[in-house]
Each structure stands twice: as structure tokens, then as C-alpha cells.
Amino acid sequence: DIVMTQTPVSLSVTPGQPASISCKSSQSLLDSDGKTYLYWYVQKPVQSPQVLIYEVSNRFPGVPDRFSGSGSGTDFTLKISRVEAEDVGVYYCVQSVQHPKTFGQGTRLEIK
Amino acid sequence: EMQLVESGGDLVQPGGSLRLSCAASGFSFTNYWVTWVRRAPGKGLEWVGNINQDGSMKFYVDSVRGRFTISKDNAKNSVYLQMNSLRTEDTAVYYCARDQRFFDYWGRGTLVTVSS
């Protein structure tokens, strides 16, 4: 199984400041079709999870442009350019290049 | 509007069984994979398993393989998670989600508690 490792486990950010979450996979997420199947989700308090980024760097419709994803192979990053209060939640990276699909352990974002 | 609704969560004793349902509206399960994800208390999200469009392909995480079975009734636009030999560590909120390699629409979840 592919292991997804996120850092940090938690971060506390002042509104308006940037935030960055790293995700490393134990195997390359590049598929034979040329696509890299790495996704980012957030679960906000008392809500269901929601997708933010698909295939490394594509924002899902409706996701603010302050969210961006980057990376390749086994190393990926989610960046929030200016954190807002509504961004509180737990962020997860997920791989879908092979079964079983696997989540990172999550990164809890708090607001200072 | 696309919507997924889970049901069937309950309190069950260790070793018991439970069947969860996931009903869709606004789109047809005939055209999509469906995934189940769970979140145990104080823990992160865990992918449980998924099923393809016609129900001919199913995948599971190791911890539930042989105990959980996913099935589909396209006529009812519903997916089911049959959970047998339940363990205390299966206690979690279970979500179903439309699966297009990524999970774009999710239900609100249903709580399963395994306890004596």
C-alpha cells in the first residue's frame, strides 16, 4: 500500500498570513497515462470532507484562488496564500493511483 | 442538485452486523464509482472501499476485507455497505462519496458505534 505522510501535524496561522502543508508518498503517484493522482481535501468542523485540489494542482470549482497545489512524483505541497478564519479544519492529501486509496494522517489548521 | 444520503448507522455489539445505505439524487450511480470513507473518533479519514459502475469490481482496505461487502442497486440508485464481524475499532462516522478518482460529492455521514 502507498503510505502518505503529511507535515506538519498541526499549524496555527494568523489571518492574512500564508500556510503550507507538505505531503510525501512512499511511491510515485505518476500513472502510465501521464496523470498524477494526488488530491487535497479539507474537513471543516461539523462538515463532510470536501475536495480542494485534484491531480496535484487543479482547483475544484468554487475553491478560492488563495489555495494552490504543486509537486510531482512523491513530493507535494498545498499552499494557502492568505489564511482566513473559514479555512479552519483538517487537511488531507489522498492518492488514487492504485488501490487501496490512502489518506495522509491529516494536518489541523487553527487560527491564531 | 446532486446529493448523497447515508443511513443505517446504529449501536451494535462486537461481532454483530450492520448494513449501511447510500442513496443518490441528482445523478445516476450507473455512471460512477462509489467510495466509502470513515472517520473514527479522534482519528483521520480512512478509505474503506469502493465499487465500480456495474458492481463488477470492488476494492477494500485490508482491515475490512473479508468482513465488509459493498454492493449496488442501480435501479434504486443506491449503494450498500454490509458490515459483519464488527469490532470496536470499526466505530466511526461512515461517509459515501461519488468517486471519479477523486471524491467530488459526499454525504453527511452515518454513525456506527460498536460497543458492548
Side-chain angles (χ1 to χ4, degrees):
Chain A
D1 297 0
I2 297 177
V3 177
M4 306 296 287
T5 304
Q6 287 180 232
T7 53
V9 172
S10 65
L11 68 165
S12 183
V13 182
T14 301
Q17 294 301 301
S20 180
I21 301 171
S22 171
C23 174
K24 296 183 187 298
S25 58
S26 60
Q27 300 174 35
S28 174
L29 303 186
L30 175 64
D31 202 0
S32 55
D33 63 3
K35 295 182 179 180
T36 301
Y37 291 106
L38 183 281
Y39 306 89
W40 290 96
Y41 296 81
V42 62
Q43 186 167 27
K44 298 180 180 181
V46 298
Q47 292 188 20
S48 300
Q50 58 192 84
V51 60
L52 295 170
I53 302 287
Y54 65 96
E55 293 168 17
V56 180
S57 59
N58 300 286
R59 272 188 304 276
F60 191 71
V63 173
D65 61 7
R66 64 178 183 275
F67 290 91
S68 64
S70 63
S72 63
T74 61
D75 289 350
F76 305 94
T77 302
L78 175 71
K79 292 184 178 178
I80 309 174
S81 59
R82 295 173 306 279
V83 169
E84 297 187 4
E86 66 181 27
D87 298 334
V88 166
V90 183
Y91 291 76
Y92 299 89
C93 59
V94 180
Q95 68 80 19
S96 290
V97 73
Q98 66 176 229
H99 287 99
K101 303 189 182 194
T102 43
F103 284 78
Q105 77 273 33
T107 296
R108 183 174 299 277
L109 174 63
E110 299 176 339
I111 302 297
K112 284 184 181 175
Chain B
E1 182 188 2
M2 285 178 273
Q3 195 172 15
L4 294 167
V5 178
E6 304 92 339
S7 60
D10 204 348
L11 170 64
V12 61
Q13 292 189 338
S17 297
L18 207 57
R19 189 177 88 150
L20 306 184
S21 299
C22 170
S25 58
F27 69 98
S28 173
F29 273 153
T30 304
N31 301 319
Y32 296 95
W33 287 70
V34 178
T35 261
W36 287 94
V37 171
R38 66 184 179 183
R39 185 171 185 182
K43 296 197 172 182
L45 296 171
E46 179 183 36
W47 183 83
V48 174
N50 64 358
I51 187 168
N52 73 335
Q53 291 90 335
D54 65 4
S56 62
M57 295 178 66
K58 305 169 193 181
F59 296 91
Y60 301 94
V61 68
D62 281 350
S63 59
V64 310
R65 189 176 296 114
R67 300 187 299 122
F68 289 13
T69 302
I70 301 174
S71 61
K72 212 177 192 190
D73 185 338
N74 282 334
K76 294 184 177 179
N77 216 22
S78 293
V79 170
Y80 307 99
L81 180 64
Q82 177 67 43
M83 303 185 294
N84 298 331
S85 303
L86 281 161
R87 306 167 180 167
T88 55
E89 56 264 36
D90 295 318
T91 294
V93 176
Y94 285 74
Y95 301 93
C96 64
R98 192 173 77 170
D99 185 346
Q100 300 195 80
R101 287 272 197 167
F102 66 103
F103 318 130
D104 55 354
Y105 291 96
W106 297 67
R108 289 180 166 271
T110 187
L111 175 63
V112 173
T113 303
V114 185
S115 174
S116 55

